[in-house]
Amino acid sequence: MNIHVIYTEAEMYLSKKSYPSWRDIQDEYHDYKASLGPWGAEETEAYLKDEYPDLLPSASKQIESFIASTNLVLLLTFS
């Protein structure tokens, strides 16, 4: 599964959507700042664990539930 990490002015998202380029992501998010990926689940989890230890629930739990869901986008939550 390919996952994008998407940064906006106020939020951070994970997306399972397939984007031809980062410009397509930018077009979808009016306050787009940057994006990473697409990465596999393990690579995404490792990045989030290293860079954002204050995710709550943990990066592992948020990614696990996101992969199991039918949702294409997840708003990451922090403590």
Side-chain angles (χ1 to χ4, degrees):
M1 170 171 301
N2 289 326
I3 299 172
H4 291 271
V5 179
I6 301 170
Y7 295 90
T8 66
E9 292 290 336
E11 307 289 350
M12 190 171 162
Y13 299 91
L14 297 182
S15 177
K16 296 186 235 180
K17 291 183 180 181
S18 178
Y19 295 100
S21 76
W22 64 268
R23 291 182 189 270
D24 296 289
I25 301 171
Q26 183 180 31
D27 290 343
E28 190 168 318
Y29 294 86
H30 74 280
D31 58 346
Y32 174 90
K33 287 181 72 173
S35 59
L36 302 171
W39 292 336
E42 296 83 17
E43 189 176 8
T44 305
E45 181 180 337
Y47 170 76
L48 293 175
K49 280 182 174 180
D50 287 346
E51 298 295 323
Y52 301 97
D54 58 339
L55 284 169
L56 189 65
S58 69
S60 300
K61 290 186 187 282
Q62 289 191 56
I63 290 173
E64 182 181 320
S65 64
F66 179 51
I67 289 171
S69 80
T70 58
N71 296 333
L72 294 179
V73 177
L74 171 73
L75 171 64
L76 289 169
T77 58
F78 294 83
S79 59

